[in-house]
């Protein structure tokens, strides 16, 4: 029944998109984020819906859509360079079979991120993409939030619709995304034109933001807690009432702490002592191994190069209960452990060239978005009141990603590449409008040429 529902939904989207090809873009974004194939038992897994949607998106843009206003940015050129570099490292990978498996989805994320800004020619399209990204993520977040309230969750125990610990269904990844989209959710609630502000919209926005904050609790991820702290700091930094809001947040935390699950508070306590937690200790050792690896492999080892790692270390663990507690040193041997960091993931797999390209894409996006925010804050025009808040929301979400990426291997996460594409699309759209404002007609009419 679930498969039939999805087929009917996707079929309806495809039929509508024949006249409005941008809907193919939104359909592919939905498929790339939610991956409905994972929710399917048979039908959707037997149909290449992702390929069909992308072919429709690109073909519709190429054959039907107006391409007059489309333009390439430097960040898209850097993405093309990164794509080419990934081709090189994949063909020279240390583990060719594993590298091909990862390349099979990475190239799609990169190509779509390069293509997507070309379609974002209007404010409506920019808002539609932001809305689809939020709603797609919310299908997972709302489910996780409800289950957290009902069961309290648990590390590796919260089932987010499917038993698949990858993509947005992975605990740390969805925790980061849930917190990163809160600024975008708030922007849509205030400046959205598709779903205009109303009581019903406000109710859903409040409930969704609450669910976003519950996800790190339900998944019991330290990354989510750090992202919440950064989000609070970013909000206070831009707020004109820092003291009042700061005191309010502190009061809410004091009230909430007694209601937090024991599993959450115990795991968060390991942040201050990483040696007492095997997961955190392993990450540090993998990072040390990666730094040593790139010294001898400066061009990287291709996708999944971490499979070559092997290391030994001593971890501290607590034994006993009550007054009989004691700290015991345990010798651990690990092999083939993942990077657990987007930064070390890029460094180990793509070497220094790939890491620099990836870092430059993110740096330029932050700088460009900040320039948009400053410029449109100074302009202060009523018809542009939506621009600066959107730029700020995208910047805040991006910063939260960069923090979460330090502890999760999400360098090629499709949702994040869509966030980058949204930033590029906003910048190029606004640049085109400013250029049109400054254009001076070659021939001036007699009426306008006469002196006043």
């Amino acid at each position: 029944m679930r498969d039939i529902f999805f087929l009917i939904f996707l079929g309806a989207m495809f039929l509508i998109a024949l006249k409005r090809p941008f809907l193919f873009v939104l359909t592919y974004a939905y498929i790339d984020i939610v991956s409905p194939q994972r929710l399917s038992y048979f039908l959707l897994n037997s149909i290449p819906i992702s390929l069909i949607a992308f072919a429709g998106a690109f073909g519709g843009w190429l054959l039907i859509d107006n391409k007059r206003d489309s333009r390439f940015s430097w960040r898209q050129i850097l993405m093309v360079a990164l794509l080419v570099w990934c081709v090189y490292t994949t063909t020279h990978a240390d583990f060719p079979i594993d590298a091909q498996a990862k390349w099979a989805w990475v190239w799609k994320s990169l190509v779509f991120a390069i293509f997507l800004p070309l379609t974002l020619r209007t404010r409506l399209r920019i808002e539609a993409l932001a809305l689809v990204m939020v709603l797609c993520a919310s299908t997972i977040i709302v489910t996780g939030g409800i289950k957290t309230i009902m069961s309290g969750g648990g590390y590796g125990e919260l089932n987010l619709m499917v038993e698949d610990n990858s993509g947005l269904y992975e605990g740390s990844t969805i925790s980061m995304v849930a917190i990163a989209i809160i600024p975008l959710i708030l922007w849509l609630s205030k400046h959205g034109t598709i779903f205009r502000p109303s009581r019903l919209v406000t109710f859903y926005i409040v409930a969704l933001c609450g669910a976003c904050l519950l996800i790190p609790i339900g998944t019991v991820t330290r990354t989510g807690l750090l992202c919440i702290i950064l989000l609070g700091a970013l909000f206070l930094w831009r707020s004109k009432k820092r003291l009042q809001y700061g005191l309010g947040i502190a009061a809410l935390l004091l009230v909430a702490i007694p209601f937090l699950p024991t599993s959450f508070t115990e795991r968060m306590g390991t942040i201050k002592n990483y040696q007492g937690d095997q997961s955190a200790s392993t990450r540090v050792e993998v990072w040390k191994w990666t730094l040593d690896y790139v010294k001898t492999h400066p061009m990287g080892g291709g996708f999944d190069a971490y499979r070559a790692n092997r290391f030994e270390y001593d971890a501290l663990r607590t034994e006993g209960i009550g007054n009989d507690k004691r700290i015991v040193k345990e010798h651990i041997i690990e092999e083939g452990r993942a990077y657990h960091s987007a930064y070390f993931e890029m460094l180990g797999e793509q070497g220094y060239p790939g890491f620099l390209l990836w870092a430059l894409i993110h740096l330029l996006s932050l700088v460009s978005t900040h320039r948009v925010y400053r410029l449109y804050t100074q302009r202060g025009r009523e018809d542009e009141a939506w621009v600066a808040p959107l730029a700020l929301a995208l910047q805040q979400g991006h910063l939260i990603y960069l923090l979460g990426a330090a502890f999760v291997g999400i360098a090629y996460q499709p949702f994040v590449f869509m966030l980058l594409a949204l930033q590029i699309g906003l910048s190029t759209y606004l640049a085109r409008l400013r250029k049109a404002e400054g254009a001076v007609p070659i021939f001036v009419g007699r009426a306008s040429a006469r002196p006043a």
Side-chain angles (χ1 to χ4, degrees), residues 208-418:
L208 181 55
C209 288
C212 289
L213 293 172
L214 285 173
I215 288 295
I217 298 173
T219 55
V220 193
T221 54
R222 293 165 294 204
T223 302
L225 176 62
L226 294 175
C227 290
I228 290 175
I229 293 172
L230 178 58
L231 176 66
L234 291 173
F235 276 173
L236 289 176
W237 183 27
R238 292 296 181 185
S239 174
K240 296 180 180 179
K241 299 179 180 179
R242 295 189 183 94
L243 181 60
Q244 295 92 321
Y245 288 141
L247 291 174
I249 292 173
L252 285 174
L253 288 175
L254 290 175
V255 172
I257 287 175
F259 297 96
L260 294 174
T262 305
S263 59
F264 178 78
T265 54
E266 288 180 351
R267 185 164 174 78
M268 296 309 108
T270 62
I271 292 178
K272 60 184 179 182
N273 180 22
Y274 75 90
Q275 290 181 318
D277 181 78
Q278 184 174 343
S279 175
S281 299
T282 301
R283 294 184 187 198
V284 174
E285 295 301 322
V286 172
W287 298 346
K288 291 178 181 178
W289 175 87
T290 306
L291 292 175
D292 291 334
Y293 178 80
V294 293
K295 290 178 182 177
T296 56
H297 299 76
M299 300 300 180
F303 295 124
D304 284 3
Y306 70 85
R307 296 181 184 277
N309 65 40
R310 185 184 188 280
F311 44 83
E312 303 179 22
Y313 64 94
D314 293 324
L316 304 177
R317 61 183 176 87
T318 303
E319 286 187 350
I321 57 175
N323 296 328
D324 295 330
K325 281 186 178 181
R326 63 185 183 278
I327 297 177
V328 179
K329 183 181 291 187
E330 182 180 8
H331 188 69
I332 296 176
I333 300 175
E334 296 279 5
E335 292 183 1
R337 294 304 298 264
Y339 298 103
H340 289 293
S341 170
Y343 301 94
F344 288 94
E345 179 185 10
M346 288 300 304
L347 194 60
E349 293 183 347
Q350 308 306 326
Y352 295 116
F355 176 82
L356 290 175
L357 284 171
W358 179 81
L360 192 56
I361 290 168
H362 287 284
L363 179 61
L364 289 178
S365 291
L366 285 174
V367 171
S368 177
T369 308
H370 183 66
R371 288 179 60 187
V372 169
Y373 171 75
R374 289 189 60 184
L375 175 61
Y376 283 84
T377 300
Q378 294 170 358
R379 285 166 67 104
R381 288 171 45 173
E382 187 175 348
D383 60 330
E384 297 173 341
W386 62 277
V387 176
L390 176 57
L392 181 61
L394 293 173
Q395 184 188 60
Q396 291 173 336
H398 196 168
L399 288 170
I400 291 170
Y401 159 74
L402 292 175
L403 173 63
F407 308 102
V408 192
I410 47 176
Y412 313 96
Q413 227 301 315
F415 189 92
V416 175
F417 273 114
M418 287 186 204

Side-chain angles (χ1 to χ4, degrees), residues 63-111:
L63 300 175
I64 304 173
D65 209 14
N66 186 349
K67 294 171 285 296
R68 183 184 60 185
D69 298 328
S70 300
R71 62 172 67 186
F72 250 68
S73 71
W74 280 105
R75 281 169 283 173
Q76 288 166 281
I77 294 173
L78 289 173
M79 286 183 185
V80 172
L82 179 59
L83 180 66
V84 173
W85 181 253
C86 287
V87 171
Y88 170 79
T89 57
T90 302
T91 56
H92 296 77
D94 292 350
F95 299 89
I97 297 177
D98 299 292
Q100 286 293 336
K102 186 170 181 177
W103 167 250
W105 62 267
V106 168
W107 75 264
K108 297 176 185 176
S109 297
L110 276 168
V111 168

